[in-house]
């Protein structure tokens, strides 16, 4: 049996993934174990978890592969500094000591970390390999996909040099076709606007996407006339005088600030109509670029199917546009599209490209619903609950689901912890907070009292896959919550003239459909279709709720507070439950009511423990 360990680390969102004879056994992000959001450190805990899932040690692994080539990245850093000299001196001085101390000698550093982890000598370690960053993305997109043949589009901030790359995948081979290079990057363009509107780069991009429907696209022409030279084929060049990421320590330059009439919004300050309009404008430009690239790829390759990865592939609105425009017969998006998924892609590229092993011909994708993280045994959960003197009931399945359906109908909010943890940024019914989507107050309650986050941020619907067409204009599976689709006309609520004239956040409190908690202001929703084969317990929960309520949809958001990684263990879940206004907690078959718990002073330490995203 060939065992391959993939690792991504040292930039952001480090992770590990393990393949055994090409089958994905385990994958997890380091942040879930350390409780530090987007932890970039060597993924000691994630590696240990992957090895324990396969019941092996590091010395049993045949090959270890790192998700990019650090010398190529160093080359890009040096060349960028030289080309921008002397303006790049500040960023050069900041980054160079780290590179010279650690990243330039990454092979040695990795071997030291792995030997320490395995309690062995460096010469006892398995073979260590390196693959290119965009190859890792492309492999993570194509190899687990259900397609025998597909075009692949990878779009992110930057790897070594590539920022956008196009590939052709067939059987077990991936062939690079063309790429766009740094500094011309759609990911960095979107991140620049994330920064300018006052959100955190590398984590706030989804806020910008969520804010966009509240605005008007008033800045589109300004962006296209000044900032980006966009060609008909989707390729582009950025006007670098508006950016500071090549030479300075911020994303945007003073020229950018002059163009948009002021400095970046201060984090946590009031969001105005201006930020909403800027968000809508850059979202529209992003969608147009992705659509043009998709049409070009279709024309050049003739491929029927498209696979997507890279951080920009998490822009589910753009993904929904590609699907609805019918450019390709089908699309598939890697659920861990960002750098964490690079660990999985690196391992897959070694198995298929380096070792030339065939792909599994099984029906559907090979991601196992992305439930690739750790689970927790009932006896372990019980021991923990007893240790903190928690009050709970242990119900059989029939009692549990009947109770939960009733609790949801009553408008209560439930923390739901079961099975294996999800790999990637989305909670998919393993580590979720759930509620009744028909409740018009559910969005504000969840945002402000449970998640402690901005009121405008939308929630996703989880829907039984066979019922999706009853609620959403979507004739496609969306198990990973990476497609946005409109709600169907039948369940929409028409706006009055006065409501139509509302601006910005004023639109938030107007119910748009019979499932208002998951319907965004533009009548869209980020849909997760739930499948019995990959998550039978979550599927049954929604089915029971549907029997009682007549609604086969529930609200699903990630189980965490703002700035906190998604919970990993029962202990994480109970702590989060006690910090918030959640009503019930479900840990496998254990159910806990908030009102029954030991009366302790509400713990707000997380507000200093977690850096706000």
């Amino acid at each position: 049996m060939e065992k391959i360990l993939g690792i991504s680390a040292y930039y952001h969102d480090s992770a590990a993934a393990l393949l055994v004879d090409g089958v994905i056994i385990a994958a997890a992000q380091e942040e879930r174990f350390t409780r530090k959001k987007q932890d970039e450190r060597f993924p000691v805990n994630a590696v240990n978890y992957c090895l324990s899932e396969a019941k092996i040690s590091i010395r049993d692994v045949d090959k270890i592969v790192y998700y990019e080539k650090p010398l190529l990245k160093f080359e890009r850093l040096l060349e960028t500094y030289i080309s921008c000299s002397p303006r790049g001196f500040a960023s050069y001085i900041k980054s160079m000591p780290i590179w010279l101390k650690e990243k330039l000698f990454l092979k040695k550093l990795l071997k030291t970390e792995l030997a320490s982890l395995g309690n062995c000598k460096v010469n006892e370690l398995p073979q260590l390999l390196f693959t290119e960053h965009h190859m890792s993305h492309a492999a993570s997109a194509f190899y687990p996909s259900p397609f025998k043949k597909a075009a692949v589009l990878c779009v992110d901030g930057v790897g070594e040099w590539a920022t956008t790359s196009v590939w052709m995948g067939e059987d077990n081979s991936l062939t690079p076709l063309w790429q766009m290079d740094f500094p011309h990057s759609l990911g960095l363009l979107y991140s620049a606007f994330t920064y300018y509107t006052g959100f955190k780069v590398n984590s706030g991009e989804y806020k910008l996407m969520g804010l966009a429907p509240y605005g008007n696209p008033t800045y589109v022409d300004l962006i296209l006339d000044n900032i980006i030279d966009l060609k008909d084929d989707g390729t582009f060049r950025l006007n670098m005088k508006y950016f500071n990421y090549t030479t300075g320590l911020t994303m945007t330059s003073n020229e950018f600030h002059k163009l948009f009439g002021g400095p970046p919004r201060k984090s946590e300050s009031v969001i105005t109509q201006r930020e909403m309009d800027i968000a809508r404008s850059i979202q529209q430009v992003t969608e147009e670029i992705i659509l043009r690239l998709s049409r070009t790829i279709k024309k050049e390759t003739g491929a029927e199917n498209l696979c997507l990865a890279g951080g920009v592939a998490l822009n589910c609105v753009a993904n929904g546009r590609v699907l609805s425009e019918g450019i390709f017969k089908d699309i598939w998006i890697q659920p861990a599209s960002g750098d964490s998924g690079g660990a999985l892609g690196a391992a897959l590229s070694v198995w298929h490209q380096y070792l030339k092993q065939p792909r599994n011909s099984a029906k559907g994708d090979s991601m196992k619903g992305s439930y690739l993280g750790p689970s927790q045994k009932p006896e372990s959960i019980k021991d923990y609950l007893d240790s903190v003197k928690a009050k709970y009931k242990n119900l059989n399945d029939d009692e549990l689901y009947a109770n939960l359906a009733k609790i949801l109908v009553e408008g209560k909010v439930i923390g739901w912890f079961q099975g294996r943890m999800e790999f990637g940024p989305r909670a998919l019914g393993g580590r979720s907070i759930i509620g009744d989507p028909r409740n018009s107050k559910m969005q504000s309650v969840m945002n402000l009292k449970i998640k402690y986050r901005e009121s405008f941020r939308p929630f996703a619907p989880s829907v039984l896959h066979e019922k999706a067409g009853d609620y959403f204009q979507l004739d496609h599976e969306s198990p990973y919550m990476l497609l946005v689709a409109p709600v169907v006309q039948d369940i929409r609520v028409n706006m009055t003239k006065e409501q139509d004239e509302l601006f910005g956040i004023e639109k938030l409190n107007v119910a748009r459909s019979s499932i208002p908690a998951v319907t965004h202001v533009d009548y869209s929703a980020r849909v997760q279709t739930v499948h019995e084969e990959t998550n039978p317990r979550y599927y049954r929960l929604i089915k029971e709720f549907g029997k009682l309520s007549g609604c086969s949809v529930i609200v699903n958001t990630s189980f965490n507070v703002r700035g906190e990684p998604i919970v990993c263990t029962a202990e994480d879940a109970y702590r989060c439950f006690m910090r918030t206004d959640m009503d019930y907690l479900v840990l496998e078959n254990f159910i806990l009511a908030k009102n029954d718990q030991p009366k302790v002073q509400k713990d707000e330490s997380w507000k200093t423990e977690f850096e706000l995203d």
Side-chain angles (χ1 to χ4, degrees):
M1 287 198 300
E2 185 78 18
K3 295 172 281 293
I4 303 169
L5 178 69
I7 291 172
S8 65
Y10 302 124
Y11 296 100
H12 57 89
D13 209 8
S14 67
L18 182 70
L19 302 183
V20 176
D21 282 348
V23 176
I24 306 167
I25 299 300
Q29 293 132 282
E30 185 68 4
E31 66 165 24
R32 306 295 171 85
F33 304 94
T34 62
R35 314 308 300 152
K36 182 194 173 195
K37 187 103 172 179
Q38 293 190 312
D39 198 337
E40 78 287 347
R41 292 170 292 182
F42 181 82
V44 175
N45 300 283
V47 170
N48 276 330
Y49 154 66
C50 288
L51 296 174
S52 69
E53 194 68 30
K55 297 180 174 59
I56 58 173
S57 74
I58 197 77
R59 281 178 281 192
D60 297 318
V61 173
D62 296 289
K63 289 176 180 60
I64 300 170
V65 55
Y66 186 69
Y67 81 127
E68 63 181 18
K69 295 191 173 178
L71 288 178
L72 277 178
K73 192 162 233 179
F74 184 66
E75 173 193 276
R76 189 248 302 165
L77 195 78
L78 274 182
E79 283 196 26
T80 302
Y81 167 64
I82 291 164
S83 67
C84 297
S85 180
R87 288 178 299 133
F89 194 65
S91 60
Y92 176 80
I93 287 295
K94 186 179 179 186
S95 62
M96 218 26 69
I98 300 166
W99 269 97
L100 293 176
K101 184 183 172 187
E102 294 179 359
K103 295 179 181 177
L104 191 55
F105 300 102
L106 194 63
K107 189 172 185 178
K108 183 181 177 185
L109 180 63
L110 283 168
K111 286 188 171 184
T112 302
E113 292 277 15
L114 288 161
S116 172
L117 180 149
N119 196 24
C120 62
K121 295 176 182 173
V122 167
N123 62 8
E124 295 175 313
L125 287 170
Q127 183 182 8
L128 179 61
L129 302 168
F130 294 81
T131 186
E132 288 191 24
H133 188 101
H134 269 236
M135 166 57 89
S136 296
H137 277 321
S140 79
F142 176 62
Y143 290 129
S145 80
F147 311 133
K148 184 180 177 184
K149 183 178 181 179
V152 183
L153 173 61
C154 302
V155 189
D156 65 358
V158 59
E160 294 89 1
W161 277 103
T163 62
T164 298
S165 63
V166 178
W167 308 68
M168 195 67 209
E170 185 166 9
D171 295 327
N172 67 340
S173 70
L174 261 173
T175 306
L177 300 181
W178 54 268
Q179 69 183 49
M180 293 168 58
D181 287 344
F182 182 85
H184 307 290
S185 163
L186 180 54
L188 291 174
L189 173 68
Y190 204 84
S191 290
F193 279 89
T194 300
Y195 167 83
Y196 186 70
T197 49
F199 302 122
K200 191 176 176 184
V201 171
N202 287 332
S203 69
E205 284 77 5
Y206 54 89
K207 295 188 192 181
L208 195 67
M209 183 177 68
L211 191 61
Y214 294 97
N216 299 304
T218 49
Y219 295 94
V220 167
D221 289 343
L222 191 72
I223 294 168
L224 292 175
D225 291 344
N226 295 276
I227 289 181
I228 182 168
D229 178 15
L230 177 61
K231 305 299 184 189
D232 289 342
D233 63 2
T235 59
F236 59 86
R237 290 184 69 80
L238 299 180
N239 185 339
M240 294 312 297
K241 80 174 186 179
Y242 293 105
F243 301 96
N244 203 28
Y245 58 75
T246 57
T247 60
L249 303 175
T250 58
M251 293 298 296
T252 53
S253 69
N254 288 331
E255 292 291 334
F256 189 106
H257 307 160
K258 280 185 216 165
L259 186 67
F260 286 94
R265 180 183 79 93
K266 285 196 171 82
S267 177
E268 305 307 307
S269 64
V270 174
I271 296 170
T272 68
Q273 188 65 42
R274 177 169 164 271
E275 279 81 41
M276 297 173 206
D277 293 346
I278 289 171
R280 175 71 180 275
S281 301
I282 190 56
Q283 177 63 32
Q284 193 161 308
V285 169
T286 298
E287 289 171 32
E288 184 58 31
I289 293 169
I290 296 293
L291 286 170
R292 289 190 191 186
L293 285 170
S294 298
R295 291 187 191 105
T296 299
I297 293 165
K298 173 68 176 177
K299 187 177 175 183
E300 289 179 350
T301 66
E304 289 190 337
N305 303 308
L306 177 70
C307 299
L308 293 157
V312 178
L314 293 170
N315 193 309
C316 44
V317 181
N319 297 340
R321 287 284 308 278
V322 173
L323 185 66
S324 64
E325 298 261 337
I327 301 167
F328 292 90
K329 183 179 173 184
D330 205 353
I331 69 171
W332 189 85
I333 307 133
Q334 166 54 239
S337 282
D339 276 11
S340 60
L344 175 61
L348 287 164
S349 72
V350 168
W351 176 249
H352 294 296
Q353 291 275 95
Y354 184 73
L355 298 175
K356 302 193 184 317
Q357 294 294 324
R359 288 170 72 204
N360 190 338
S361 57
K363 184 178 178 286
D365 74 46
S366 59
M367 285 296 294
K368 301 179 180 177
S370 214
Y371 307 111
L372 298 167
S375 59
Q376 197 162 344
K377 291 179 177 172
E379 51 270 30
S380 166
I381 295 171
K382 183 179 186 302
D383 287 347
Y384 169 72
L385 293 176
D386 289 341
S387 76
V388 294
K389 298 182 169 51
K391 303 295 182 210
Y392 59 86
K393 292 177 183 174
N394 188 0
L395 305 179
N396 65 41
D397 280 357
D398 290 344
E399 291 173 315
L400 180 69
Y401 294 117
N403 267 278
L404 292 179
K406 196 160 63 172
I407 289 166
L408 287 169
V409 167
E410 288 169 358
K412 306 296 186 188
V413 177
I414 299 170
W416 170 258
F417 175 106
Q418 59 89 42
R420 294 181 73 175
M421 183 178 69
E422 302 89 340
F423 180 51
R426 303 281 178 253
L428 301 169
R431 307 286 184 273
S432 293
I433 299 171
I434 56 176
D436 185 346
R438 303 168 305 156
N439 188 324
S440 58
K441 294 180 181 173
M442 188 59 64
Q443 181 177 1
S444 59
V445 167
M446 277 191 167
N447 266 330
L448 301 176
K449 290 192 167 186
I450 292 159
K451 302 282 281 190
Y452 301 110
R453 66 184 201 178
E454 301 91 343
S455 62
F456 69 84
R457 288 168 63 176
F459 289 110
S462 291
V463 58
L464 300 180
H465 75 96
E466 69 271 23
K467 297 280 189 180
D470 295 349
Y471 301 92
F472 310 104
Q473 292 174 23
L474 183 69
D475 58 356
H476 191 276
E477 292 183 355
S478 181
Y480 305 120
M481 209 187 283
L482 287 169
L483 294 170
V484 162
V487 298
V488 296
Q489 204 68 44
D490 289 355
I491 66 168
R492 291 188 185 189
V493 175
N494 292 323
M495 299 295 98
T496 65
K497 189 181 175 189
E498 292 77 15
Q499 289 170 334
D500 260 338
E501 290 170 356
L502 292 173
F503 271 95
I505 295 296
E506 293 174 336
K507 299 175 181 179
L508 180 64
N509 297 321
V510 180
R512 305 269 158 172
S513 76
S514 60
I515 45 172
V518 294
T519 304
H520 214 3
V521 292
D522 57 356
Y523 290 103
S524 71
R526 190 181 71 197
V527 183
Q528 180 200 2
T529 55
V530 180
H531 304 257
E532 192 171 16
E533 302 77 29
T534 51
N535 198 334
R537 289 177 69 80
Y538 196 43
Y539 180 90
R540 183 171 174 190
L541 171 66
I542 301 170
K543 200 160 191 175
E544 289 295 326
F545 174 68
K547 282 180 192 172
L548 196 60
S549 66
C551 177
S552 299
V553 180
I554 60 173
V555 182
N556 174 14
T557 187
S558 55
F559 200 150
N560 58 340
V561 292
R562 185 181 169 197
E564 179 190 20
I566 295 173
V567 300
C568 179
T569 64
E571 182 178 350
D572 299 334
Y574 184 76
R575 192 186 307 118
C576 186
F577 170 63
M578 293 301 288
R579 282 171 169 165
T580 66
D581 289 336
M582 264 182 268
D583 301 296
Y584 287 85
L585 173 63
V586 177
L587 303 166
E588 297 298 344
N589 284 69
F590 299 97
I591 182 167
L592 297 83
K594 176 64 66 63
N595 292 338
D596 294 342
Q597 300 315 303
K599 293 290 183 271
V600 292
Q601 187 176 353
K602 193 169 178 182
D603 175 14
E604 296 195 339
S605 63
W606 65 270
K607 292 179 180 177
T608 53
E609 182 183 340
F610 302 124
E611 184 182 346
L612 291 181
D613 61 1

